[in-house]
Amino acid sequence: KDGLLSEEEFNLWNRLYRLGDSDEVKGVALPRSHFQSLQEDRATQEPTTGIHQLSLSEWSVWQDHPLPTYQVDHSYRCRHFISIMQMIEEMRHEEDECSYELKIRPFLQMEDVC
Amino acid sequence: GFRKELVNKLLHLHFRDCKTKVSGDALQLMAEFLRIFVLEAAARGVSQAQAEGLNVVDVDQLEKVLPQLLLDF
Amino acid sequence: QRLKAAVHYTVGCLCQEVELDKQMHFSKQTIAAISEVTFRQ
């Protein structure tokens, strides 16, 4: 009634899903992000042994194209992110000149920025 | 899916005022949102595993789809 | 922790539905990961 697990459900959870000392990976955590540029009081969380820290950057090279969806399509924010990752991937192989700068420089009007 | 009472408790974790009430409709909507989120995460993990020719979805497959999943919600 | 366990259990049940539907298997760690992400969401 209180929304928490009944005894039967708890036993099932304990048997099927709960990660414990006998498991190689004892838990999973999504690390909290923080703004590097802001002076924040933040206690640096040391990763606990046996806890797998999920990474949003480990597979960043894979994010330059939209991955398949199921019932929920990609958001505008996500498409923006993908296009930026795509641009980064293309720029990775550039030497000396930056193609983005070359493309955009003709449009710079100094009165717009001064 | 997610029980309304559980969703209510989860929401109350973040309320500044413990007297804040959530209507039944809002709880139902939030429960449905969470259900869809979980199913989407699972299904995308499956998609990734299948693309790699695996029959087990491991944490690696989930991590690959995680950035776009979080941005989509 | 009890709330997290309840979320974890529900996520496990939902993943089981997907397992049956897609004929695939989720590792315990993957279910735990989806649960953690859902709780944070």
Side-chain angles (χ1 to χ4, degrees), chain A residues 69-82:
Chain A
T69 61
Y70 176 54
Q71 290 176 331
V72 179
D73 203 359
H74 288 309
S75 62
Y76 282 127
R77 190 177 292 181
C78 183
R79 287 179 202 280
H80 182 205
F81 167 70
I82 292 166

Side-chain angles (χ1 to χ4, degrees), chain A residues 90-105:
Chain A
E90 281 160 17
M91 283 176 12
R92 204 190 295 276
H93 307 291
E94 284 176 1
E95 288 171 12
D96 303 322
E97 290 285 2
C98 170
S99 62
Y100 181 85
E101 191 186 341
L102 286 173
K103 224 188 304 182
I104 211 82
R105 202 189 289 166

Side-chain angles (χ1 to χ4, degrees), chain A:
Chain A
K1 271 191 193 166
D2 60 0
L4 301 173
L5 298 180
S6 65
E7 197 178 323
E8 194 186 333
E9 287 167 342
F10 179 86
N11 291 334
L12 207 66
W13 168 76
N14 196 37
R15 187 166 57 85
L16 292 178
Y17 305 126
R18 187 182 198 174
L19 293 171
D21 292 330
S22 56
D23 293 293
E24 199 185 317
V25 173
K26 294 171 189 9
V28 180
L30 184 64
R32 291 197 176 274
S33 61
H34 56 267
F35 288 104
Q36 302 272 5
S37 56
L38 296 181
Q39 300 284 335
E40 289 178 328
D41 266 352
R42 55 175 194 273
T44 330
Q45 212 174 359
E46 291 298 318
T48 321
T49 318
I51 303 290
H52 179 98
Q53 302 280 327
L54 289 172
S55 170
L56 291 172
S57 57
E58 178 82 18
W59 308 99
S60 56
V61 187
W62 289 56
Q63 308 306 320
D64 64 350
H65 61 281
L67 296 171
T69 61
Y70 176 54
Q71 290 176 331
V72 179
D73 203 359
H74 288 309
S75 62
Y76 282 127
R77 190 177 292 181
C78 183
R79 287 179 202 280
H80 182 205
F81 167 70
I82 292 166
S83 70
I84 297 290
M85 297 304 282
Q86 223 162 30
M87 189 179 97
I88 289 170
E89 185 56 31
E90 281 160 17
M91 283 176 12
R92 204 190 295 276
H93 307 291
E94 284 176 1
E95 288 171 12
D96 303 322
E97 290 285 2
C98 170
S99 62
Y100 181 85
E101 191 186 341
L102 286 173
K103 224 188 304 182
I104 211 82
R105 202 189 289 166
F107 298 96
L108 176 62
Q109 307 278 340
M110 290 314 291
E111 56 264 35
D112 293 337
V113 295
C114 293

Side-chain angles (χ1 to χ4, degrees), chain B:
Chain B
F2 289 86
R3 290 192 193 118
K4 277 194 202 173
E5 296 79 13
L6 174 59
V7 174
N8 194 35
K9 283 193 158 65
L10 287 169
L11 291 172
H12 269 88
L13 278 179
H14 304 283
F15 291 157
R16 283 196 203 109
D17 184 357
C18 58
K19 293 192 191 115
T20 305
K21 284 192 167 64
V22 187
S23 75
D25 284 348
L27 286 176
Q28 200 167 347
L29 186 62
M30 184 55 88
E32 180 64 6
F33 165 79
L34 286 171
R35 192 185 74 88
I36 289 170
F37 180 81
V38 172
L39 289 178
E40 191 69 27
R44 290 191 193 186
V46 163
S47 240
Q48 187 57 44
Q50 285 172 336
E52 295 180 33
L54 305 166
N55 54 17
V56 177
V57 184
D58 214 339
V59 178
D60 276 359
Q61 283 73 54
L62 183 74
E63 270 188 346
K64 284 165 186 167
V65 303
L66 199 53
Q68 294 184 24
L69 176 79
L70 294 180
L71 285 167
D72 287 336
F73 281 85

